[in-house]
Amino acid sequence: MKPLNLKKCEKEYLLKAWELYNLSFPNEEKRTLQEQEIILKEERYNPIIFVKDNEVVAILFFWNFTKYTFIEHFAISYKLRGQSYGSKILTNFLQQHQNVVLEIEPICNEITQKRFNFYKKFNFVINDFKHFQIPFRKDSQEVELLILSNINKLEKTEYEKLYFEMKNSLTI
């Protein structure tokens, strides 16, 4: 499995990655293809895909902020789930990045509990702040999510600085 930067790879892979992206996230938590193409120009935005046998195994889209690395989207191909790809990718990612944060849906059913349990294995903790996803588009509504951080909870001032950076970067 090899990682490829979506900014630099063939259009074929962009379309395959886009299919996985669309299948993996609800509309309010993702961009349109046109919006994604605009955000690809952002220097701090890093859209990485993982390819094996010419198939997109996973997507991992993240931002480098001043102090934190924010995982915006992480998904494994439905037909390849349960084969440890997610664990391998996240383990490698966490070895290369510090102060990693991400968002997940509030835990309200078996699926959301499984998602949290996955991240908990990697020492992610739920922060106590009421958190709303920054709308990706001007016409989008805020979505209440949980913000997780790797190993340590965020201090209130840290969270506020991170949220400010997110707000000034994520919206087109």
Side-chain angles (χ1 to χ4, degrees), residues 48-97:
I48 306 300
I49 63 171
F50 297 84
V51 177
K52 182 178 180 183
D53 300 328
N54 208 29
E55 289 299 317
V56 174
V57 172
I59 60 172
L60 177 60
F61 300 168
F62 67 96
W63 291 82
N64 290 318
F65 291 130
T66 304
K67 186 175 177 183
Y68 295 94
T69 300
F70 171 61
I71 297 177
E72 183 178 277
H73 291 99
F74 179 43
I76 307 299
S77 171
Y78 281 98
K79 55 188 170 186
L80 299 173
R81 288 186 182 172
Q83 297 180 36
S84 298
Y85 286 110
S87 294
K88 289 173 188 171
I89 291 167
L90 193 55
T91 296
N92 188 43
F93 186 82
L94 292 172
Q95 289 170 351
Q96 296 175 25
H97 298 87

Side-chain angles (χ1 to χ4, degrees), residues 7-130:
K7 292 179 179 183
K8 300 174 183 172
C9 68
E10 300 166 22
K11 184 85 169 177
E12 164 196 1
Y13 287 128
L14 172 64
L15 297 176
K16 287 180 180 182
W18 191 250
E19 182 179 346
L20 174 55
Y21 177 83
N22 271 324
L23 291 171
S24 300
F25 301 98
N27 286 336
E28 62 272 9
E29 293 180 26
K30 62 186 177 187
R31 294 182 174 85
T32 66
L33 182 55
Q34 181 181 15
E35 291 161 342
Q36 187 71 22
E37 288 173 339
I38 292 169
I39 210 81
L40 286 173
K41 296 173 184 142
E42 292 290 329
E43 185 178 321
R44 297 190 293 177
Y45 184 58
N46 299 279
I48 306 300
I49 63 171
F50 297 84
V51 177
K52 182 178 180 183
D53 300 328
N54 208 29
E55 289 299 317
V56 174
V57 172
I59 60 172
L60 177 60
F61 300 168
F62 67 96
W63 291 82
N64 290 318
F65 291 130
T66 304
K67 186 175 177 183
Y68 295 94
T69 300
F70 171 61
I71 297 177
E72 183 178 277
H73 291 99
F74 179 43
I76 307 299
S77 171
Y78 281 98
K79 55 188 170 186
L80 299 173
R81 288 186 182 172
Q83 297 180 36
S84 298
Y85 286 110
S87 294
K88 289 173 188 171
I89 291 167
L90 193 55
T91 296
N92 188 43
F93 186 82
L94 292 172
Q95 289 170 351
Q96 296 175 25
H97 298 87
Q98 295 182 347
N99 297 324
V100 177
V101 294
L102 56 88
E103 301 165 321
I104 63 170
E105 295 90 351
I107 301 165
C108 61
N109 58 34
E110 186 178 340
I111 293 170
T112 54
Q113 183 65 56
K114 281 176 127 176
R115 187 170 294 123
F116 172 67
N117 290 344
F118 171 77
Y119 289 114
K120 189 176 177 182
K121 288 188 312 187
F122 297 93
N123 298 314
F124 278 90
V125 295
I126 299 172
N127 286 277
D128 300 325
F129 309 107
K130 191 169 184 111

Side-chain angles (χ1 to χ4, degrees), residues 32 35 135-142 171:
T32 66
E35 291 161 342
F136 292 132
R137 299 182 297 276
K138 289 181 173 53
D139 63 338
S140 294
Q141 299 295 313
E142 289 183 334
T171 305

